[in-house]
Amino acid sequence: MAVAAGCSSSEETDQVVQAPEWVVPDNYAKFTDASESFTVYYPNHWDSQYSTLKDMNEWAEQALPSMNTGTVMSIDTSETHYVFSSVDYTKDDFSTNLNVVMERVPNELTAAEYTEASKQVSRTALKSWRLHSEKSITLGGLRAHITEVSFAFSELEPGLDGRVRTVQMAVKKPGEGIIWVVTCSSEYSSKSALETCKTVVKTAQLLN
C-alpha cells in the first residue's frame, strides 16, 4: 500500500472529471518503464533512479495471495515494487521528489477503492495527516483518482518543523491486478513546488 501521507474540508464526490490535454513543459524529461506500460515526465534537472527489478513482467504476473477488496489493507510490502524515483536536490529545504510504484492488487479493485484504503492507513499512521482535496479523473480513457494531502515533518523525523505536501494519483486498467501509484512530495509552503508536483502527476499515463 502506497501511503499518501487531513480533517478534510473538501467534499468527496463520485463525479469524474475529464482530464484536459496536458502540455508537457519543454524542460521535462520522459521516463518509460522497462515493459513500456507506463510513462511520466519530470523536470530534467532532477536526479533519477530506475527500477532494478530484473523481470518486471514476471513479477507482475505472479499470483496474488488469496484476498478480496475488503482486505486490501493487509497487502504486505512484497506486493509493492518501486519503479522510478526522481529528486530535486537543487533546493536547500525539503527536496521535492517523485516516486512511482506498481502494486499487485485484487483484479476487481478500483483506483478509488485503493485510494480510500490508503487514506485509512494514512489517518492511522500519521496523526497530523490532512486531506486537502481529492477527485476522480479520466486519464487516457482510464479512471484515475488524485489526492492532495499534507502531514508534519516531525512524523518522519522528530524535531523537524513544517509540513510535507503530497499529490498522489492511482490508476489501473479495469480487471487487471496491477495498480500504478504516482506520488510527488514537496515542502508545504512552496506554491511553486506544489504546481510542479501537480504538473508531474498529470503527465503520468498507462500505455497500451
Side-chain angles (χ1 to χ4, degrees):
M1 177 70 62
V3 177
C7 71
S8 172
S9 60
S10 64
E11 294 185 5
E12 299 184 11
T13 175
D14 290 332
Q15 182 179 2
V16 181
V17 178
Q18 176 65 48
E21 194 72 25
W22 200 256
V23 178
V24 178
D26 291 338
N27 63 336
Y28 273 40
K30 180 181 181 181
F31 165 77
T32 302
D33 77 291
S35 65
E36 298 186 347
S37 300
F38 172 88
T39 189
V40 68
Y41 293 80
Y42 59 97
N44 58 19
H45 66 275
W46 289 12
D47 289 351
S48 303
Q49 293 184 338
Y50 301 88
S51 170
T52 57
L53 189 64
K54 292 183 179 179
D55 194 334
M56 188 177 296
N57 288 330
E58 180 180 343
W59 179 89
E61 291 170 1
Q62 289 175 8
L64 186 70
S66 178
M67 62 169 58
N68 55 48
T69 301
T71 61
V72 65
M73 289 177 62
S74 68
I75 296 177
D76 63 41
T77 55
S78 67
E79 305 306 331
T80 302
H81 176 67
Y82 279 85
V83 177
F84 177 72
S85 65
S86 188
V87 182
D88 180 7
Y89 286 120
T90 63
K91 307 296 183 183
D92 293 331
D93 52 8
F94 179 82
S95 297
T96 303
N97 62 89
L98 165 69
N99 288 284
V100 177
V101 303
M102 53 188 281
E103 182 173 335
R104 286 191 292 254
V105 297
N107 290 1
E108 70 275 14
L109 188 76
T110 66
E113 290 169 337
Y114 177 93
T115 301
E116 186 59 37
S118 179
K119 285 159 51 183
Q120 293 176 27
V121 172
S122 298
R123 286 191 177 104
T124 301
L126 302 168
K127 293 182 175 60
S128 62
W129 189 88
R130 296 178 186 170
L131 174 65
H132 297 285
S133 67
E134 66 175 316
K135 63 181 176 180
S136 290
I137 65 170
T138 300
L139 189 67
L142 297 174
R143 188 162 177 168
H145 206 80
I146 296 179
T147 57
E148 181 185 329
V149 311
S150 69
F151 57 93
F153 274 125
S154 59
E155 300 235 45
L156 300 179
E157 293 288 342
L160 292 181
D161 297 324
R163 296 181 67 82
V164 178
R165 187 193 299 264
T166 72
V167 179
Q168 183 177 89
M169 181 180 70
V171 61
K172 73 184 290 285
K173 294 180 179 179
E176 292 194 0
I178 293 293
I179 193 163
W180 293 78
V181 184
V182 183
T183 307
C184 188
S185 303
S186 63
E187 200 279 321
Y188 182 82
S189 64
S190 175
K191 292 183 179 180
S192 62
L194 172 61
E195 291 307 311
T196 296
C197 277
K198 288 180 177 180
T199 298
V200 168
V201 167
K202 289 177 181 178
T203 68
Q205 191 114 21
L206 284 183
L207 307 174
N208 295 327

